[in-house]
Amino acid sequence: MIQEIIRMKHKGFSNSKISQSLGKSRTTILKYLSIIEVSGLKTEELLKLTEEDLFDLFEVPSSLSASNRVPIHVDLHAFFPYVEKELKRVGVTRHILWKEYKVKHPEGVMYSQFCEHYSVWNKKSEGYMPTNHKAGEKLFIDYAGKKLHIIDRKTGEIKPLEVFVATLGASQYTYLEASFTQRIPDFLSSIQNALHYFGGVPACIIPDNLKSAVTKSSRYEPFINEQFAGFASHYDTSIMPARPLKPKDKSLVEGAVNIAYTRIYAALRNTEFYSLNELNAAIRLLLENYNKLPFQKKNHSRADLFQGIEKEALKPLPTQNYELREYKTATVQKNCHVFYANDKNYYSVPHAYIGKKVKMILTQNVVEIYHNQSRIALHPRSQKAYAYLTIKEHMPVNHTYDNNWSPEYFISWAAKIGTAVKECIEKILEQKQYPEQNYKSCVGVLNLASKTSKERLNNACKRALLYEAIGYNPIKSILEKGLDKQLEEPDLCSKVTISHENIRGSKYYA
């Protein structure tokens, strides 16, 4: 704009015409003309200067006071790059740096002028190196709008890939990788990879409002995804989602995405990749060059700033990686266990919590059970279907949960149906270490009497006991084969051939 004012004034335009042409008020034009007049240079000389020279020679003033017309001291200008870098360190303020400046230059400007001149100088650098982020404070994360892809070798199908970008606030040190989706497993894996790439953990992570990070966005109190919150707790950091529709809240990572398009996307445009690992390896090589490339108009790079001021400010990584968790709500059954349907397993809970709602948190190896934010049980995760994982202390001493459920209660109930039913129930109760683990099985068997008849149930139990006599487990007969199917079959007793040879250790089926 200064160049245009000089050019138009040199051609003889009036102040009003200059004002209309540049879209600035006449008062503003007069201020700039006054500064040009004070400089003592002729318009022909000024027109030969570059924009940078004009900026160095003429500070844009806030008023026409004498102090604003005095050129900035050369030593002060030379000191500002140091100020810019040191302000990123935790606890460092402008006042501290001004004192250092005064020690070196006792004749230098006072604190208020120091701050004013630095603010004006800093506007030149805005867009290259913001100064409002402390080292180790923030990590900005986002997904690029444009996708990369790989090709399936077998089918030739093109598979689009999401591109995750993470940038540290103070140094702008950047991490980038491709993943198949933005869903929770891929999202958390990408963040975890970024933290290990940086070699530390920032004080907070600032994501966009994608569903994997925020279940319900809000300007004031967003609801963080439970998995993401657990991840943050494991890495001892906090989550501060950007405000909805406010891209400036994470402008650093938005800028990193745009630079990635030109530095990484463009470099990969003519290369085809056939696996995710192959693509990410190529991205990593380009990323190293990107981080080592100096900033425009500066003699240092993102990698230099990271090594110099930010790496030491990051918190150390935990000894173990985060394990993806699954969250389920369950009701404690009368047998002192909760049931996890995906694995078809039972996990014991202290008997005092019978009938209460609890939260199950499952990792690949561990199952934690919570009630009112307190952990009440911890088990190794079982991969075997219909397994009972029981802790002895969780069981009541008398094996009685209420006035009804007890081994004696089920045996008495079975005796009313038939002798064979009673014998089967006794054998079911003996199958496991704790009779409580078999209560559901007992209920399932005894309730069949109401669905069919007492006589048919008693006959089915006789058949199961007969199978046991030739080496076949009656529990499997009842629970795995199913009484319903057995009840529909004709009497199998006459079809079972029993001899001394097949009784000795062999299993025969009807």
Side-chain angles (χ1 to χ4, degrees), residues 8 12-23 26 29:
M8 296 178 75
F13 284 90
S14 67
N15 294 342
S16 297
K17 287 288 185 182
I18 296 173
S19 173
Q20 291 176 1
S21 176
L22 298 179
R26 190 168 178 274
I29 300 301

Side-chain angles (χ1 to χ4, degrees), residues 56-302:
D56 290 337
L57 284 172
F58 303 105
E59 284 297 315
V60 181
S62 58
S63 67
L64 285 176
S65 64
S67 62
N68 282 326
R69 297 176 186 175
V70 178
I72 296 178
H73 198 281
V74 175
D75 294 334
L76 183 62
H77 238 295
F79 189 71
F80 283 154
Y82 171 76
V83 174
E84 182 182 45
K85 180 179 178 180
E86 291 300 306
L87 279 175
K88 298 179 184 298
R89 296 185 183 273
V90 178
V92 178
T93 64
R94 290 186 180 189
H95 194 267
I96 292 173
L97 296 172
W98 171 73
K99 287 182 177 180
E100 292 182 16
Y101 164 75
K102 287 294 284 182
V103 170
K104 293 181 178 180
H105 309 286
E107 75 288 351
V109 298
M110 300 306 291
Y111 179 65
S112 59
Q113 286 292 304
F114 179 88
C115 293
E116 181 178 351
H117 289 313
Y118 177 72
S119 297
V120 174
W121 179 89
N122 189 50
K123 287 180 181 178
K124 291 194 300 179
S125 302
E126 191 172 7
Y128 302 113
M129 189 60 58
T131 58
N132 57 337
H133 301 301
K134 293 292 183 182
E137 183 182 39
K138 295 177 181 178
L139 174 67
F140 299 88
I141 60 175
D142 199 5
Y143 279 95
K146 299 175 183 178
K147 299 183 180 183
L148 296 174
H149 69 269
I150 58 174
I151 299 175
D152 191 314
R153 286 187 183 274
K154 295 181 179 179
T155 64
E157 177 188 1
I158 295 177
K159 296 183 177 181
L161 299 174
E162 304 289 345
V163 178
F164 171 86
V165 183
T167 302
L168 289 168
S171 63
Q172 296 189 42
Y173 199 60
T174 301
Y175 176 78
L176 189 143
E177 75 167 31
S179 61
F180 286 109
T181 70
Q182 294 186 21
R183 290 194 288 268
I184 277 288
D186 287 333
F187 176 62
L188 295 185
S189 176
S190 293
I191 301 176
Q192 187 165 256
N193 291 341
L195 296 180
H196 283 270
Y197 178 78
F198 299 137
V201 183
C204 66
I205 299 174
I206 301 179
D208 202 351
N209 284 269
L210 72 163
K211 285 295 182 183
S212 294
V214 180
T215 55
K216 184 179 179 182
S217 61
S218 169
R219 185 182 180 89
Y220 305 105
E221 293 186 7
F223 289 87
I224 307 300
N225 184 290
E226 198 167 22
Q227 290 272 23
F228 195 18
F231 176 90
S233 177
H234 178 81
Y235 280 96
D236 190 24
T237 186
S238 57
I239 309 298
M240 294 176 57
R243 292 171 297 172
L245 305 178
K246 293 290 183 180
K248 285 187 177 181
D249 284 2
K250 51 182 181 63
S251 57
L252 283 183
V253 73
E254 295 281 358
V257 168
N258 291 329
I259 296 173
Y261 290 151
T262 58
R263 300 282 169 79
I264 295 177
Y265 278 58
L268 298 175
R269 70 187 186 281
N270 295 324
T271 308
E272 298 295 350
F273 298 94
Y274 298 92
S275 72
L276 182 62
N277 291 337
E278 184 184 355
L279 173 59
N280 279 329
I283 289 175
R284 182 66 67 90
L285 291 176
L286 293 170
L287 187 63
E288 293 292 332
N289 295 330
Y290 167 72
N291 282 323
K292 291 178 180 178
L293 191 69
F295 290 102
Q296 292 186 25
K297 300 183 182 180
K298 298 191 181 293
N299 58 3
H300 54 262
S301 65
R302 292 170 175 82

